[in-house]
Amino acid sequence: MLFDTHAHMDDRAFDADREALLSALPEQGIGLLMNPGCSLASSRAASALADRYDYIYAAVGIHPETAGQQPADYLAQLEQLAKHPKVVAIGEIGLDYHYEGYDRESQSVLLREQLDLAKQLDLPVIIHARDCTEDYLRILQEFRPRGVVHCFSGSAETAREVLKLGMYIG
């Protein structure tokens, strides 16, 4: 049995054949699937898919690319979504400095707030970390969450630092 630990099945790219694809996964050896949210809407969609399929679990969170666009009460909304019995993590959250125009300070605040929520709820995290090594390592060392660093773009030395924190790399 395989466990797909990161699949955005609520993405519009799957609109035409989502149901057929999801129904076929167990026959193809995929017994578990983690569907992380990237916004409040996709977090709700991930939770809804988890309701409909026994083998799908969800994470809820705000992706760094939309930092600064979340409503003022987003943490309360994420906390409410996290009460769903099949929501098992906070994510996909993190930092992304790859593209021009992303506000690094907004991303940092967003990440810190969501890491604090994960700590309060005792949930692991799914961290998106691209081209931001020094900043995300410093924040992870401060919060010391459980979870996985996804979209890892660091060196072997950085990987060792992430592993020392007890986190996984994806």
Side-chain angles (χ1 to χ4, degrees):
M1 177 184 75
L2 299 175
F3 180 178
D4 187 335
T5 62
H6 198 103
H8 294 282
M9 298 309 301
D10 56 289
D11 191 280
R12 287 180 294 201
F14 296 109
D15 284 354
D17 62 351
R18 180 178 295 108
E19 299 306 318
L21 176 66
L22 290 175
S23 295
L25 291 179
E27 298 164 8
Q28 297 175 18
I30 298 180
L32 295 170
L33 185 141
M34 171 62 74
N35 190 21
C38 289
S39 65
L40 289 171
S42 71
S43 293
R44 282 189 282 277
S47 297
L49 281 175
D51 273 338
R52 294 193 357 244
Y53 295 91
D54 290 342
Y55 52 90
I56 295 180
Y57 289 84
V60 297
I62 309 290
H63 193 280
E65 70 185 13
T66 62
Q69 300 172 26
Q70 68 277 6
D73 69 339
Y74 87 95
L75 283 170
Q77 290 188 54
L78 286 177
E79 183 174 3
Q80 188 63 35
L81 288 166
K83 291 179 181 177
H84 186 287
K86 291 184 75 182
V87 170
V88 296
I90 300 296
E92 178 172 358
I93 64 176
L95 300 175
D96 191 330
Y97 298 170
H98 186 71
Y99 296 109
E100 294 294 321
Y102 287 165
D103 182 343
R104 292 179 181 197
E105 183 58 32
S106 292
Q107 287 186 26
S108 178
V109 169
L110 181 66
L111 174 57
R112 289 171 178 280
E113 289 174 346
Q114 291 180 99
L115 284 170
D116 188 54
L117 178 64
K119 186 175 187 172
Q120 290 174 38
L121 300 176
D122 193 29
L123 288 173
V125 296
I126 301 169
I127 300 289
H128 174 97
R130 184 164 54 170
D131 299 337
C132 57
T133 300
E134 185 178 320
D135 289 347
Y136 91 84
L137 271 180
R138 185 176 61 254
I139 292 170
L140 292 181
Q141 289 166 344
E142 177 185 339
F143 282 87
R144 306 195 71 77
R146 299 177 287 129
V148 63
V149 175
H150 160 78
C151 195
F152 180 80
S153 63
S155 64
E157 292 80 17
T158 302
R160 282 191 280 280
E161 292 300 314
V162 169
L163 295 173
K164 274 193 225 176
L165 291 169
M167 297 189 76
Y168 296 94
I169 297 174

